[in-house]
Amino acid sequence: MAGSAPAPPSVPAGRTLNLVLATSASVAGFWAWNSVATLGAFYTQNLQLNPATTGVLVAMPVFVGSLGRIAVGTLTDKYGGRAMFTFVLLASILPILLVAVGGTMRSFALVLGAGLLLGVAGTVFAVGIPFVSAWYQPSRRGFATGVFGAGMGGTALAAFLNPRLVAGIGYFPTHLLIAGILAVMAALVWFLIKESPGWTRSTAPVLPRLADAARTPVTWKMCFLYAVVFGGFVSFATYLPTYLRDVYSFDPSAAGARTAGFALAAVLARPVGGVLADRFGPKPVVILSLAGVAVLAWVVNLQPDGDVPAGLTFVAMAAALGLGTGGVFAWVGVLAPPGKVGSISGVVSAAGGLGGYFPPLVMGATYDAATRSYSIGLLLLVVTALAALAFTIFAVKGRAKAKLAPA
């Protein structure tokens, strides 16, 4: 390992380009996936929704995207990242157009149904994890999955740009623009992306592979942890515009800008979590993340007054969640048996998405309009983070760091 002679096999040509393309595809997918949530205030006003109904609407793409990751991760093992990235991006175009039509017609049922279909955009994550993992040796997979995971920055773009685009060019043209970006990205992926030289097509049937992943103990341990850290990120990214409107009286553009800052902090922290996991092991990174989430959720519950204290609290929360997402998936890359990375990643990422589905529903159902408080939902997050922290410390064992082995 000390010499540079093995450079060709350990650094295959095109590795960086394919990582960039995969991350860019993820950005486009996450942008589309989060498009309904970032316009929650628009739907609340134009469709005359209460907080609970808004929570259902913004959570719908999360629910379907989460379950779809199970199948998509396994299909990626079989058909490869090039085919599956292209499929996911193209399949997201019709739902985003239906969302545009539903919002224009002020039809709650159509937006809800289109949001259900739009969940396919969220499955892009389950394509990228096995794809980029195949390009990197185990000792660098924390870095690779962390960089790819930064594609969730599409949520930051959606939060920052969508309210401004709706105000500037209109609701329907905004969704046409997103559909166009999906189409362009699908073409780039199809013509430019390549599978890793070390990737081999899985010929095993899908259902037995999923059953095999379900029987692997590491799958369910990582599912729980990822449901907390990534689910926490998705929950805040989807519901934060509504939260900031209800608690701090921000208008849609101001709430969107702050939500974008939250998402960006998590995006930047995710590759840091992966790199730290490569260096020190995933377990310390996940422990630090969960401890931070528990403390900061309590602070958010106190409703810190003033833009700076509240803003710093949310940014710190995002960073803690981002570190955790990078750490958990570095753990998956280390512990998943060869040939099962896609199927296990699909199940784990599905759990993460489902972890983000329920909190917006809880937040909407428990909101106290009289005191403008979401205390019940936030205190439940504190308890959940503490339970996950104890689980990580006492119940999760395994290799601390990746072994230096060929990809």
Side-chain angles (χ1 to χ4, degrees), residues 87-138:
F87 168 77
V88 167
L89 293 168
L90 291 178
S92 303
I93 293 176
L94 179 60
I96 202 72
L97 294 176
L98 290 176
V99 168
V101 173
T104 302
M105 295 174 58
R106 299 191 177 187
S107 169
F108 172 76
L110 183 52
V111 175
L112 185 69
L116 192 75
L117 297 175
L118 189 57
V120 68
T123 66
V124 70
F125 188 81
V127 179
I129 291 296
F131 174 79
V132 302
S133 292
W135 277 99
Y136 286 80
Q137 65 269 35

Side-chain angles (χ1 to χ4, degrees), residues 65-74 77 123 125-127 129-130 210 213 219 223 329 332 340-353:
S66 304
L67 293 180
R69 290 178 177 188
I70 299 174
V72 168
T74 304
D77 282 339
T123 66
F125 188 81
V127 179
I129 291 296
L210 289 176
T219 302
C223 277
F329 253 99
V332 173
K340 298 183 183 180
V341 176
S343 53
I344 292 177
S345 296
V347 175
V348 173
S349 60

